[in-house]
Amino acid sequence: MVEQTGGTARFHVLGTGARDCVASYELEVWSGTGGANRSVQRGQAHLAKGGEPHLLDVALSGAAASRWSAKLHVRTSDGESYDVTRSSS
């Protein structure tokens, strides 16, 4: 989920599962002119069936918050994977 207010862009990554599993995730965010700034957040979380754990937050402010791209890659312990890509433009 991306929340853009004023001069800030906040990226919230939440996880839910149809069954208990472990999920590995990587959130890559590029910002600024030509993607000059880059941040990568990696981690692993235990997802409980029906739960909604908070995995991570990343915030951009100032000029970086106006032009950004983000890609989230998730792989679960039972072999499922997916990618989500978003951008400000």
Side-chain angles (χ1 to χ4, degrees):
M1 173 173 56
V2 180
E3 174 187 7
Q4 195 146 9
T5 54
T8 304
R10 295 184 189 280
F11 302 83
H12 305 283
V13 179
L14 306 174
T16 60
R19 58 194 166 281
D20 292 351
C21 69
V22 175
S24 298
Y25 58 86
E26 178 178 289
L27 176 65
E28 188 170 8
V29 179
W30 300 269
S31 62
T33 304
N37 298 313
R38 181 175 169 261
S39 173
V40 178
Q41 304 290 320
R42 293 180 183 94
Q44 193 174 65
H46 295 273
L47 302 178
K49 179 180 177 180
E52 192 168 317
H54 173 261
L55 301 181
L56 71 108
D57 283 323
V58 174
L60 301 175
S61 60
S66 63
R67 296 193 68 191
W68 53 265
S69 295
K71 180 177 181 180
L72 174 67
H73 175 73
V74 177
R75 176 173 295 257
T76 65
S77 56
D78 51 6
E80 294 182 41
S81 68
Y82 64 91
D83 295 300
V84 177
T85 304
R86 300 263 167 84
S87 70
S88 59
S89 49

